[in-house]
Amino acid sequence: MGPFKGFLAALVWLTAISLPSTPVAAEDGRLYFLVRHAEKVLQGDDPLLSPAGKLRAAALSSLLADTGIEGIHSTDFNRTRNTVAPLAQRLGLAVELYDPARPENLLADLRKTGGRQLVVGHSNTVPDLVRRLGGDGGPAIDEAREYDRLYLVAVDGNGVVTTVLLRYGTPFNP
């Protein structure tokens, strides 16, 4: 990587880490952070995070540490729980488990709780959750190699929804 690419990468990283702490939702609104689990090992019914996934989980923890997250929600799989574990430990929050087959239960809980909430899910559930919150889920997530989407869905006091899509962590190409 040449000096310009290194500078550009550092600039993008610094910009990205400062964005989530920017007030996006009104004081009486809600702010949801949604991510897919980090990279997983490719064997087993309930795989763990790969070394790259562990690095991405650490990056997520660093990125969201100062965003005022009040609740963390995860499906009951190793890869999702381990993606948010560093942040949960850092913030002293328990991870609330939800059933990805029953998104309406999670959404009701999120709407009732309000505040700033982090949800970790899967390539086939996260864009749908964003849409169900009123946001723009974008195109389907590339199952094989896309682990870096971080959605911010802000709902202001009047119900106006704004979606911001960020990328976080280091891109890992297989």
Side-chain angles (χ1 to χ4, degrees):
M1 177 180 330
F4 179 73
K5 282 188 178 181
F7 171 77
L8 185 58
L11 181 62
V12 168
W13 181 79
L14 287 172
T15 302
I17 64 169
S18 66
L19 283 176
S21 61
T22 303
V24 179
E27 245 179 68
D28 57 348
R30 299 176 307 272
L31 182 59
Y32 305 109
F33 301 83
L34 297 98
V35 297
R36 176 193 184 189
H37 61 79
E39 290 88 338
K40 62 186 177 183
V41 295
L42 298 179
Q43 64 266 20
D45 292 336
D46 188 12
L48 298 169
L49 294 182
S50 68
K54 291 176 184 176
L55 288 172
R56 189 173 303 279
L60 182 67
S61 175
S62 294
L63 182 64
L64 298 181
D66 297 322
T67 58
I69 287 176
E70 302 163 67
I72 299 176
H73 309 268
S74 172
T75 60
D76 194 12
F77 291 92
N78 285 320
R79 59 193 176 273
T80 51
R81 290 189 319 267
N82 293 339
T83 297
V84 294
L87 181 63
Q89 182 177 7
R90 183 180 218 156
L91 299 178
L93 294 173
V95 176
E96 301 293 327
L97 299 179
Y98 72 93
D99 181 354
R102 308 280 314 220
E104 63 280 357
N105 293 344
L106 170 66
L107 295 167
D109 185 45
L110 292 174
R111 289 182 176 118
K112 180 179 75 174
T113 305
R116 294 176 179 219
Q117 306 289 321
L118 170 63
V119 177
V120 62
H122 306 271
S123 61
N124 63 339
T125 63
V126 170
D128 180 59
L129 287 171
V130 170
R131 284 188 281 280
R132 287 174 180 249
L133 289 167
D136 179 4
I141 292 176
D142 181 342
E143 169 67 28
R145 62 182 149 216
E146 191 176 3
Y147 296 90
D148 64 349
R149 283 192 201 183
L150 170 59
Y151 292 95
L152 280 69
V153 179
V155 184
D156 73 14
N158 297 316
V160 176
V161 179
T162 304
T163 307
V164 176
L165 173 60
L166 301 173
R167 304 289 180 163
Y168 77 99
T170 303
F172 296 100
N173 296 318

